[in-house]
Amino acid sequence: MAEKSPVKEAASSESIPISNSNQLKPSPQLPSKFSSQTAPNSEVPSTPTSRPPSADADVVYVPSYSRWFSWDKIDSCESRFLPEFFDGRSASKGPSLYIYYRNSIIKLFRENPSRKITFTDVRKTLVGDVGSIRRVFDFLDHWGLINYSASSALSKPSKDTGSNIKSSDSPSVESPSSAAPTSKHSSNSRRICGACKSLCTIACFVCDKYDSTLCARCYVRGNFRVGLSNADFRRVEITDEAKADWSEKETLLLLEAIMHYGDDWKKVAQHVGGRTDKDCVAHFVKLPFGEEYLGHPLSNDHESGFETNKRMCLTPLADASNPIMAQAAFLSALAGVEIAEAAAQAAVSVLSQVDDITASRVGSGSLERNSKRESEISSNGDTNQNALERAAYADANSLLDKEEQDIERAITGITEVQMKEIQDKFLRFEEMDLQTEKERQQLESMKNLLFIDQLNLSFRRNYT
Amino acid sequence: MKSPASASWKAPLKFRMPTAENLIPIRLDIEVDGQRYKDAFTWNPYDPDSEVVMFAKRTVKDLKLAPGFLPQIVQSIQSQLATFRSYEGQDMYVGDKIIPIKLDLQVNHTVIRDQFLWDLNNFDSDPEEFARTLCKDLGIEDPEVGPAVAFAIREQLYEIAIQNVTSARENRISKKGRRAAEHFTPSKASGAALDLMKLFSFRSSVVRKRKEWDYYKPVLDLLSNEEVDALEAKEERSGR
């Protein structure tokens, strides 16, 4: 369908009517195609506040930032904004499909330029999946190639559905309005997600390319603009930013309060003021040990820290269902970390020695390997927990190996017995063989004797 | 020439639409406050979830529907997507299958009836391309017919793909061996597939018999306004 109406080009806030001969919007690099009128017109500096002449139905306005558009060609910004058609991932979704969508949408709009076409009109008439049609539609809408009428040239074009667009090519009108929100973003310590406009609490994702911020939910759902991918975002933790900005004064108050009130965190919280007791405890635990704070008793910190450590150590094993393990845990906790570790190591090494002796008798290599492993494991020990676990592990391993050995022995015994059986059979067969041989020889000799007797008889008969 | 079906049993593939693009058909039929919204379109299941809400918002805005439609549309689309995703991880058997696809659509003023054969094993097939070519060749002026044709094709392919998945599941459950599965697929194939083997055997030719020409020809009708209204009224009555 040839485009019959001439096209006029409009700058973002001003408009320059440019008439054209039956062809779309000229690019200055191809002057030969177009009438000579266009060249001088496009170079004319626009009068800042000229309004478009009363638009006739045949004239279509295109903003100057969409200068690149042509029916047959694909511009680089199109391939950048809509990469799905150009990355060759699927055979059928190629540039030709994109051109089909784009041209059909624009044709549809230009049939009646004074009326804004809606996405639903478009997608009802185009064959394809609605997601990609929507993206092309949004792209064209944003760049003013459709739904761009003289009236909207006056007002700033409305923001799109929520993704921030900050590329350098984007329409100049957009950039001042969008630059303002970004400065707001960076000035606040509180982050507001660009897509869903909600406060970011735990973590947010920042894209440096386009300087946009997304909350975790939007990032996960992929609610960012099409040109970006997951890798462009980096994670920024916020949890501690807003909440735990403990100032020096607050920390001092906290420490004073602890000195006075000891373990009564409610009073401490009162003294600090503005922090709950849980916050105080949490912050206190995170404080580094005393050297930075002058005039503060070291022992308190150390002991309390140690106590919490011990308490933490006891709990994992203390409620083990195995009473022996529970006792061992209790004893090791009482004895202390290094002692328990040493005891466990000694136990493991003795176990491995015992295993070594039996291994040398039987001669299997697996035990040696195992003991080596055990000693390796025990040499890596840090806490008493780990040492105990390793001792149990070594026990289990040695039991397993003993069973293995038993099984091996049984198998070798069985095979020996069978071999003996076969040997006996061989012997018996050999004896039988000998006997039959003897019998055969006897029979032969008897046959010979009989033959001689027969001969004698026949001779005697012949002679008489 | 086609080899016998039992020898051409293929290993089961992961479920997907047997087309070049893994797009699924979505059908909406919602009634709110006496307003009825019926729609059918193709959806890309790999679009992010935000897409669903955006699409629903725009549709409601463009068609000036009551705002009560919005959550229903979102829910319907999401449930159909979820159904598709539940099938997605499972296996489907694809034997040798050429199936007849039937079109019987009425879009605005155009009625189109057609029947053609589609190769289920061709994962490069493109219903959209087919629909575009069909509309261009038949000179259909109404641009809404194309998407409807593509959607109808996709819907039928989707149904058959789902059948393949359930048949694969049944095979596994009943613990039939490989052999039985081989026998299963050709027997489950529609009669058309088996007939095609006879068609493509060395004895007969590939050219269609004259008496079958009428079945495989597209029929295009343009209705007048009264006929359209009559059809709509009939549908509503049958719906009730």
Side-chain angles (χ1 to χ4, degrees), chain B:
Chain B
M1 294 298 169
K2 290 181 77 133
S3 47
S6 54
S8 59
W9 179 81
K10 293 196 173 78
L13 313 159
K14 288 295 161 193
F15 174 80
R16 53 157 290 165
M17 288 287 290
T19 55
E21 297 253 349
N22 204 2
L23 306 172
I24 48 177
I26 303 247
R27 194 180 271 281
L28 295 176
D29 187 358
I30 306 176
E31 180 149 359
V32 168
D33 294 336
Q35 250 187 326
R36 189 141 188 242
Y37 167 62
K38 274 185 77 157
D39 204 352
F41 49 85
T42 336
W43 188 269
N44 185 349
Y46 301 121
D47 277 344
D49 284 337
S50 52
E51 188 76 37
V52 179
V53 180
M54 269 202 285
F55 174 81
K57 279 196 196 151
R58 293 186 89 141
T59 312
V60 168
K61 195 175 73 160
D62 294 343
L63 296 176
K64 299 192 180 31
L65 301 170
F69 274 93
L70 181 59
Q72 299 231 14
I73 295 178
V74 170
Q75 195 193 40
S76 175
I77 297 180
Q78 280 176 346
S79 66
Q80 296 187 50
L81 277 177
T83 320
F84 171 74
R85 291 211 175 100
S86 74
Y87 283 118
E88 218 176 351
Q90 310 189 7
D91 299 332
M92 77 171 173
Y93 285 137
V94 183
D96 262 351
K97 272 227 213 134
I98 293 195
I99 45 167
I101 296 220
K102 299 190 174 68
L103 294 179
D104 188 1
L105 311 166
Q106 185 241 330
V107 179
N108 297 344
H109 290 259
T110 320
V111 168
I112 180 164
R113 271 191 295 274
D114 197 1
Q115 184 187 20
F116 46 86
L117 303 170
W118 194 276
D119 181 3
L120 219 53
N121 272 341
N122 179 14
F123 285 105
D124 285 332
S125 59
D126 194 359
E128 274 77 35
E129 181 77 40
F130 179 86
R132 277 198 287 272
T133 322
L134 182 71
C135 293
K136 202 167 66 159
D137 291 344
L138 293 178
I140 297 181
E141 290 176 0
D142 188 354
E144 296 194 15
V145 177
V149 168
F151 176 81
I153 298 175
R154 260 191 202 277
E155 215 178 13
Q156 297 185 42
L157 291 177
Y158 187 51
E159 293 283 329
I160 294 182
I162 289 185
Q163 277 179 27
N164 277 339
V165 170
T166 50
S167 77
R169 230 190 296 163
E170 283 167 19
N171 278 349
R172 252 183 293 138
I173 289 175
S174 59
K175 288 197 189 133
K176 293 189 185 161
R178 263 195 170 209
R179 289 243 169 171
E182 284 182 57
H183 289 305
F184 211 165
T185 31
S187 65
K188 250 231 150 177
S190 58
L194 284 179
D195 290 341
L196 282 169
M197 290 206 313
K198 286 187 216 144
L199 261 184
F200 291 164
S201 69
F202 56 87
R203 245 177 262 154
S204 61
S205 77
V206 191
V207 179
R208 199 172 265 144
K209 301 195 191 64
R210 196 175 269 269
K211 57 182 172 168
E212 291 187 14
W213 282 4
D214 289 329
Y215 288 129
Y216 288 94
K217 199 168 56 167
V219 172
L220 190 58
D221 272 333
L222 284 174
L223 308 172
S224 66
N225 285 337
E226 300 92 15
E227 289 174 319
V228 173
D229 292 334
L231 271 176
E232 274 182 21
K234 216 197 300 177
E235 256 190 55
E236 282 189 28
R237 255 182 272 131
S238 62
R240 267 184 246 129

Side-chain angles (χ1 to χ4, degrees), chain A residues 74-86 98 139:
Chain A
I74 297 179
D75 192 64
S76 61
C77 68
E78 297 180 274
S79 52
R80 219 176 334 122
F81 276 77
L82 297 164
E84 55 190 316
F85 294 102
F86 302 102
Y98 167 70
F139 170 76

Side-chain angles (χ1 to χ4, degrees), chain A residues 380-399:
Chain A
N380 287 343
D382 284 330
T383 65
N384 47 353
Q385 272 184 8
N386 279 351
L388 279 172
E389 282 176 17
R390 267 176 246 126
Y393 176 72
D395 268 333
N397 264 353
S398 56
L399 278 173

